[in-house]
Amino acid sequence: MLRRLYANELLKLVARKRSHIGFGAFVALEVAFLALLHLPRVRAAIEKLLTRNGLPVEQYFSGTTVAVMIVALTILFLGALFIALVAGDIVAKEAEDGTLRMLLCRPVARPELLAAKALACATYSCALILFIGASALAMGMAYRGWGSLFVFSPAEGVFAFHAPWPGLGRYALAMLTLALTTQTFTAVGFMFSCFNMKPAAATILTLSACFIDLLLRMTPYFESIREWFLTHHMAVWIHVFEPHVPWARIAEATVFLLAWDLTFVAVGIAHFMRRDIRG
Amino acid sequence: MIEIRGLVKRYGARLAVAGIDLVVPRGRIFGLLGHNGAGKSTTIGCLLGHLFPDGGALRVGGVDALAERRRALARVGAIFETPAFYDYLSGYRNLRIFAECTAPVSDARLMEVAGIVGLADRIRDRVGKYSHGMRQRLALGQALLPDPELLIVDEPTDGLDPEGIHEIRSLLLRLNREHGLTLLLSSHLLSEVELLCTDIAVMREGRVLYSGPMADLPRTEGWIVLRADPPGRAADLLLGRGWLEERRGEDRFRLRAGVSVADAVGAAVADGLRVEAAHPIEMTLEEFYLQTVHGGGDA
């Protein structure tokens, strides 16, 4: 039964125009980002950064470097937005439209239906992140071509450079890590969607929760408890580019986030289990 | 088919259903009547597991619908007043999504049902393009999948044109007659209920005021028409015999309890009157409903 429900949830997601907005928006954003990179002043700043660190511009201002820049600058805001849009809708929109009531006339258990929806949301988030990674790489390659990878993230304390093939391998691993860690957006959105609220409210609450977490983490006052913030662990993907992959830290962040993800999903399901569905 | 015992449902402080008992026999068409807020939809919601009752027992097909919802609803279909669909998907895909929440369904069965509800040639179109009547028929189609024994129908003809109403009514009657489907129907259209139902229950403020077969409705209340020649003599005759309780005009009388139309006709003929018409006055369902609801007593 779960397999059938999951397949139908995926079908609904694929058929809805709204699900494709995220994909389209990211392609548009990537094109805009490339246009920005083309500005002489921006190019000069990047070239200056590379030469100051003794890295040949032609070798390190490459497709993979551009791809990492695109992902790093956009994922937290736009990625969160489009994942929240879909996850916030997944139950709340059906409740609002009345199709949830139609589904629940059937001998389907509520936890099973919700599990199928949560899995479909998780699949969507993974697909979106991997698409962002692949399209950013394609755009970067088209713009700057094949070359070595340079990653610089002062906020996370990452400064690294890699030869072309190892760099590409790290990029792939980083995207997989990112796909895994951004599931927290999905789980928060799903939880709010299970509550008795409009889909837009679920989306806004999801985004608010994520941005509040981010802002608090960046506040110096909370420096000592940074590790308790979700976005701190969600940023672990950038550490994949460190000279030596910090596997222990990645595993710790993944487990921490996974525990929260399961908690958010469980809270959503528990609330929904007691909820009256009225026409 | 359905057995409801002591069902109680509260919304906060408001008592929506106040410990009702209701039995819907297998193979019957059972109409649930009542004004808005009478508790009809709440009762149906509890049956389908949309609402969690505060007390009572619900059995569908002999199975406890609260403890074993999946088994109880395995052969139940439902239609609502405003059926909701995935407008961006085809009718075919909608049918499949809803039906597969019960059990896998073959293409042949799906197309058979599309044919039964008259949507075979439009089933691949997007539901967003369907008219209200087509959506209503699609709703009926999804309720018939995979193979229900009980159909729960909330305002099935709401918003349909006269032709559409006739179509849906004929279809429901055919399903009941040919396939032995039990129907639990909630409707405001008393004329529809009168044409469709074999049994009814009248609800008001969460209570069942009357429940029973249509054939047993206490419709006459002792009023008869007795038209005789010469006019006016019948009233004197009934009055003389002490049978007359009340009179309206020349030929409408309410007889004392225990006196039948046959008694009145026999007396008139014996007294030499020429009887032109004699029959009990039957209330319409609407009159019965209004009297039951506004009378306030339990029937």
Side-chain angles (χ1 to χ4, degrees):
Chain A
M1 175 68 103
L2 182 64
R3 198 172 52 82
R4 272 203 312 271
L5 292 173
Y6 170 64
N8 283 333
E9 288 303 326
L10 278 186
L11 182 103
K12 283 187 258 175
L13 273 181
V14 170
R16 284 184 64 189
K17 280 184 190 152
R18 192 170 202 174
S19 311
H20 302 282
I21 294 175
F23 293 89
F26 265 100
V27 171
L29 188 79
E30 284 159 7
V31 171
F33 190 83
L34 291 187
L36 193 72
L37 276 186
H38 210 65
L39 294 175
R41 193 182 287 182
V42 178
R43 282 181 68 133
I46 294 169
E47 287 170 7
K48 191 176 163 190
L49 178 69
L50 288 167
T51 44
R52 209 171 51 197
N53 287 290
L55 301 169
V57 171
E58 280 313 306
Q59 188 184 342
Y60 283 94
F61 190 16
S62 67
T64 37
T65 301
V66 169
V68 171
M69 289 165 77
I70 292 175
V71 174
L73 289 173
T74 59
I75 197 70
L76 201 59
F77 295 99
L78 271 186
L81 172 67
F82 292 113
I83 290 172
L85 266 177
V86 169
D89 261 15
I90 195 88
V91 179
K93 185 80 173 95
E94 287 220 38
E96 185 184 60
D97 290 350
T99 46
L100 190 67
R101 192 165 164 236
M102 299 270 287
L103 287 174
L104 289 174
C105 288
R106 300 280 171 173
V108 59
R110 290 189 187 198
E112 209 169 6
L113 181 64
L114 291 181
K117 285 185 175 292
L119 282 174
C121 261
T123 309
Y124 172 84
S125 310
C126 272
L128 181 64
I129 298 298
L130 296 179
F131 171 82
I132 292 166
S135 57
L137 186 64
M139 294 274 184
M141 289 293 183
Y143 180 58
R144 292 296 305 177
W146 182 244
S148 300
L149 171 65
F150 169 66
V151 178
F152 178 52
S153 169
E156 291 299 320
V158 176
F159 179 86
F161 41 92
H162 298 279
W165 280 109
L168 189 62
R170 292 293 183 97
Y171 182 77
L173 184 62
M175 289 307 109
L176 288 175
T177 310
L178 189 60
L180 207 60
T181 54
T182 45
Q183 292 306 324
T184 304
F185 288 141
T186 314
V188 174
F190 176 82
M191 178 186 72
F192 285 126
S193 194
C194 288
F195 294 160
N196 195 6
M197 62 174 71
K198 298 269 181 200
T203 301
I204 291 167
L205 278 175
T206 306
L207 285 173
S208 305
C210 295
F211 290 139
I212 288 169
D213 184 281
L214 178 69
L215 288 174
L216 292 181
R217 173 171 76 99
M218 288 160 66
T219 308
Y221 182 77
F222 294 108
E223 179 67 34
S224 58
I225 54 163
R226 273 184 78 176
E227 284 161 19
W228 288 102
F229 291 102
L230 297 173
T231 46
H232 168 76
H233 295 281
M234 289 168 80
V236 78
W237 71 278
I238 200 84
H239 293 274
V240 168
F241 295 107
E242 284 181 19
H244 297 287
V245 179
W247 291 111
R249 176 157 183 204
I250 292 170
E252 184 198 347
T254 309
V255 169
F256 178 88
L257 291 174
L258 190 65
W260 274 110
D261 296 351
L262 292 175
T263 306
F264 291 135
V265 170
V267 168
I269 292 179
H271 177 82
F272 192 82
M273 287 300 291
R274 296 186 295 113
R275 185 177 150 191
D276 282 339
I277 307 293
R278 297 171 72 175
Chain B
M1 190 74 204
I2 298 175
E3 200 182 331
I4 299 172
R5 297 283 173 218
L7 180 68
V8 178
K9 175 66 187 174
R10 285 188 184 83
Y11 296 123
R14 191 172 80 82
L15 190 60
V17 176
I20 64 165
D21 295 322
L22 211 58
V23 175
V24 178
R26 192 178 285 272
R28 310 286 284 183
I29 304 181
F30 196 100
L32 214 47
L33 308 181
H35 55 78
N36 289 334
K40 311 182 302 283
S41 296
T42 301
T43 304
I44 289 177
C46 289
L47 262 178
L48 292 170
H50 294 169
L51 305 173
F52 296 103
D54 295 302
L58 297 157
R59 298 184 80 81
V60 177
V63 179
D64 186 336
L66 298 176
E68 293 181 83
R69 181 178 174 274
R70 185 182 288 238
R71 207 154 70 84
L73 297 188
R75 298 198 67 186
V76 176
I79 313 169
F80 295 113
E81 183 182 352
T82 42
F85 291 105
Y86 304 104
D87 286 354
Y88 48 90
L89 295 174
S90 68
Y92 173 88
R93 191 48 70 183
N94 269 279
L95 288 183
R96 191 161 277 290
I97 286 174
F98 287 116
E100 285 187 348
C101 287
T102 301
V105 60
S106 71
D107 237 32
R109 171 66 184 153
L110 206 141
M111 292 311 291
E112 181 195 342
V113 167
I116 289 173
V117 296
L119 281 176
D121 54 338
R122 298 288 305 273
I123 202 68
R124 303 279 176 185
D125 291 358
R126 265 192 332 114
V127 172
K129 293 180 182 170
Y130 281 16
S131 66
H132 180 71
M134 289 167 76
R135 292 173 76 92
Q136 211 71 8
R137 279 188 276 158
L138 188 67
L140 185 54
Q142 68 79 28
L144 293 176
L145 284 167
D147 189 19
E149 286 180 337
L150 167 67
L151 215 54
I152 296 175
V153 190
D154 192 359
E155 302 287 356
T157 53
D158 196 66
L160 293 179
D161 55 28
E163 200 178 335
I165 291 175
H166 174 76
E167 240 177 75
I168 295 283
R169 187 200 311 134
S170 307
L171 191 55
L172 291 176
L173 283 170
R174 188 154 62 86
L175 289 166
N176 170 258
R177 213 172 35 240
E178 293 174 11
H179 302 274
L181 217 65
T182 307
L183 275 102
L184 173 63
L185 184 105
S186 158
S187 180
H188 289 108
L189 295 175
L190 297 177
S191 56
E192 278 306 304
V193 171
E194 194 148 30
L195 288 167
L196 266 170
C197 295
T198 56
D199 302 71
I200 61 161
V202 179
M203 292 184 75
R204 191 189 67 181
E205 290 167 5
R207 290 185 166 78
V208 174
L209 302 180
Y210 173 85
S211 176
M214 286 281 278
D216 296 350
L217 285 187
R219 288 189 181 209
T220 60
E221 283 213 314
W223 281 93
I224 66 162
V225 168
L226 179 60
R227 195 171 305 135
D229 190 44
R233 283 280 305 281
D236 297 338
L237 173 73
L238 296 173
L239 196 61
R241 294 199 175 209
W243 289 353
L244 191 60
E245 291 264 312
E246 221 179 319
R247 174 183 174 182
R248 281 187 206 149
E250 287 277 308
D251 55 6
R252 283 165 191 255
F253 310 103
R254 190 154 72 88
L255 301 178
R256 215 187 58 207
V259 182
S260 67
V261 182
D263 294 336
V265 171
V269 172
D271 209 41
L273 301 182
R274 198 163 67 86
V275 176
E276 291 169 351
H279 58 83
I281 298 175
E282 289 211 338
M283 281 188 279
T284 61
L285 180 61
E286 184 177 82
E287 286 165 336
F288 171 76
Y289 169 79
L290 291 173
Q291 194 187 72
T292 308
V293 165
H294 296 300
D298 292 304

